[in-house]
Amino acid sequence: MEPTNNMERGPALQASLGRRRKGEITERVAHGLFLAAALVSVATTVGIVLTLFVQSVGFFSEVSPWEFLTGTEWSPILKDENGARHYGVLPLVAGTMLVAVIAAALAIPTGVGIAIFLSEYAPDRVRKVLKPAIEVLAGIPTVVYGYFALTFVTPILRSIFPELIFFNALSAGLVMGLMIVPMISSLSEDAMVAVPRSLRQAAYALGATRFEVALRVVFPAALSGIVASFILAISRAIGETMLVTIAAGATPRMTLNPFESIQTMTAFIVQVSLGEAPRGSLEYNTLFAVGLLLFFMTLVMNVIGSITVRRFRESY
Amino acid sequence: MTTKPETSTATDYVLQARNVAVYYGGFRAVKDIDLDIPRHQITALIGPSGSGKSTLLRCFNRMNDLVTGSSVVGKITFNGADIYDHAVDPTEVRSRIGMVFQKPNPFPKSIFANVAFGLKINGFQGDLQEGVERSLKAAALWDDVKDRLHDSAQKLSGGQQQRLCIARALAVEPEVILMDEPASALDPISTLKIEELMRDLSANYTIVIVTHNMQQAARVSDRTAFMTMDEDRAGYLVEIGPTQEMFTNPRNERTEAYITGRFG
């Protein structure tokens, strides 16, 4: 049978090989729409950064960046007994880091343990049930975590440590840890499952046990993804607001004692936003200075993260 | 290339399979296997795709254990010991019966770390540096890599990676090396090097190789086993004999049809 398509010759063939106008328009519209979608998020980021910079100018024209970054006393709203306000942000940074470190200390070992279990030990049936169940934790609103910390975890902790203040960094940090566990376990497990089976087989064929395969082959091969999950989770912990506003207190304090009441950078921003500081006043502008610093902290985390990931990458 | 004379009397068999069948769930992949692997020889398993050559090979170091739903029935002995006895630790079996895979699968670590891996997990007490060097020399890779032991193994060529995988297997000092189409992903020159290496290794090791390449089986092996499959898709062993005999004067007509290229 003759293929009928091949019957065209000369100008008729030239014409039918020509561009189809309709397809071309669709392509252009689609291209434009997708580009616009991408630009929206870029524009938002640029807009936020610009706002933070512009609004902080007002603050830094009255308070030197040096004083802001190195001062160990933070009382921009209330005057102290001598009638002075203090603009040293370190107590807020300390509070933020304290909570984040407690959260990471709980979430990293737990999350990685869950990931290793799911990827290397759990039979398929167990994994199919357990993984979504853990991910549900990530969908719980943070305000619920806040009250969970305040009304459930704190009383338990206080029965163990009677000296614990009611609003404290420990309880908020621990619950924050629970909150970011699914982020670490889910992303780490994805990274570990992506490690080729051939590498596991190579190790088993050398007489490795399941534990040795998990720890010496799969874990290092997945390390870049695992570290990325840490960075994301810790960034989340630093930026998280509601939980710490509810459970950690509102006392900017230069301390690393988890039993004390503290205030994080985010909780301070909430306090000012909801407070009565007039727009444009110095008190109000502190909000943007703290926001800018928060932005830089997470930015630095992400940069450190991607450097670490590249450094330790075992590419397969 | 020399072929060792077949000793007809009292051959020393390292591995022996008796009435072995392998099931994947309800599917019987191979059946009725009786096979003896003589010491310090190269035994080739040939046959068409799906005849169960790789499945059978993986029985000898219990790699089939890793496939969920698989089961091995019958008896396989290693130097007389039943390796499927319930008291046997499969990791012990695997450290005595090594394996090289079809696609080179070095760990994404340095050349040194690849070879040292097997030594470390098997509680090697000696000098790690020395052990790595000895294994790389045995795999004819030392001269290629001695100046860059701490480079990533992934930078090596395919043929070098496969020799690294052989070195890694040798480091554990196994008695047997199972090779599952070790050269099928390699170019002809690398293939030749692997074949030469196998001939050298057969002085001290027992080698079982699965290959699709009949010329390779003819070039490299002392004995050849031909497998094919039944109507029910279960692979079985048709015949086994000295390689030269198999290729010049096969007893079974299916073997003859396969090696002359009429099927498979």
Side-chain angles (χ1 to χ4, degrees), chain A residues 67-68 70-76 78-82 84-92 252-254:
Chain A
E67 184 191 343
F68 176 68
T70 59
T72 56
E73 210 173 321
W74 182 257
S75 57
L78 300 171
K79 293 176 182 158
D80 67 7
E81 53 270 29
N82 305 322
R85 291 195 169 100
H86 298 277
Y87 299 98
V89 78
L90 284 181
L92 294 184
R253 199 193 304 262
M254 192 69 194

Side-chain angles (χ1 to χ4, degrees), chain B residues 210-243:
Chain B
V210 164
T211 178
H212 261 112
N213 180 334
M214 279 177 287
Q215 286 75 27
Q216 182 169 68
R219 281 193 299 265
V220 81
S221 70
D222 301 301
R223 283 161 64 83
T224 298
F226 173 62
M227 294 179 73
T228 188
M229 58 212 172
D230 245 344
E231 298 78 38
D232 63 354
R233 296 191 296 134
Y236 65 98
L237 187 68
V238 178
E239 64 175 306
I240 179 165
T243 297

Side-chain angles (χ1 to χ4, degrees), chain A residues 7-274:
Chain A
M7 298 305 283
E8 286 177 338
R9 289 292 182 273
L13 175 59
Q14 194 68 58
S16 68
L17 288 176
R19 285 190 178 194
R20 296 217 308 245
R21 291 291 305 164
K22 205 175 129 199
E24 198 182 345
I25 292 167
T26 320
E27 281 302 317
R28 280 190 186 175
V29 171
H31 181 263
L33 281 176
F34 295 141
L35 181 65
L39 287 181
V40 166
S41 60
V42 175
T44 312
T45 311
V46 172
I48 290 174
V49 174
L50 277 181
T51 313
L52 288 175
F53 264 105
V54 170
Q55 300 275 4
S56 326
V57 168
F59 175 80
F60 287 117
S61 64
E62 292 186 52
V63 178
S64 79
W66 179 253
E67 184 191 343
F68 176 68
L69 289 174
T70 59
T72 56
E73 210 173 321
W74 182 257
S75 57
I77 317 279
L78 300 171
K79 293 176 182 158
D80 67 7
E81 53 270 29
N82 305 322
R85 291 195 169 100
H86 298 277
Y87 299 98
V89 78
L90 284 181
L92 294 184
V93 174
T96 303
M97 297 315 288
L98 181 58
V99 173
V101 165
I102 294 170
L106 174 67
I108 286 177
T110 314
V112 171
I114 292 172
I116 292 179
F117 174 74
L118 287 178
S119 134
E120 304 303 309
Y121 285 87
D124 257 8
R125 289 173 286 120
V126 177
R127 186 174 158 213
K128 278 190 187 127
V129 177
L130 211 54
K131 193 172 183 191
I134 292 166
E135 281 166 1
V136 163
L137 278 179
I140 297 173
T142 55
V143 64
V144 175
Y145 278 108
Y147 281 101
F148 174 66
L150 194 66
T151 61
F152 185 76
V153 176
T154 298
I156 293 176
L157 289 174
R158 271 160 68 99
S159 68
I160 305 170
F161 310 107
E163 71 273 32
L164 194 67
I165 316 273
F166 189 63
F167 295 99
N168 64 81
L170 183 62
S171 173
L174 290 177
V175 175
M176 176 98 76
L178 287 182
M179 192 179 81
I180 61 177
V181 157
M183 210 167 184
I184 293 177
S185 68
S186 193
L187 292 175
S188 298
E189 196 238 6
D190 290 345
M192 285 163 58
V193 167
V195 173
R197 266 169 50 114
S198 64
L199 296 183
R200 294 186 176 81
Q201 292 202 324
Y204 280 121
L206 292 166
T209 62
R210 200 178 274 265
F211 184 67
E212 285 163 339
V213 172
L215 217 65
R216 290 172 177 262
V217 176
V218 179
F219 183 81
L223 193 64
S224 62
I226 294 170
V227 171
S229 82
F230 296 170
I231 302 295
L232 271 175
I234 293 171
S235 293
R236 170 93 195 273
I238 290 175
E240 168 50 33
T241 308
M242 191 53 88
L243 200 171
V244 285
T245 305
I246 294 171
T251 322
R253 199 193 304 262
M254 192 69 194
T255 180
L256 291 177
N257 181 356
F259 287 5
E260 288 197 69
S261 174
I262 49 106
Q263 186 171 40
T264 66
M265 299 166 77
T266 51
F268 169 76
I269 292 175
V270 170
Q271 189 191 2
V272 175
S273 318
L274 298 177

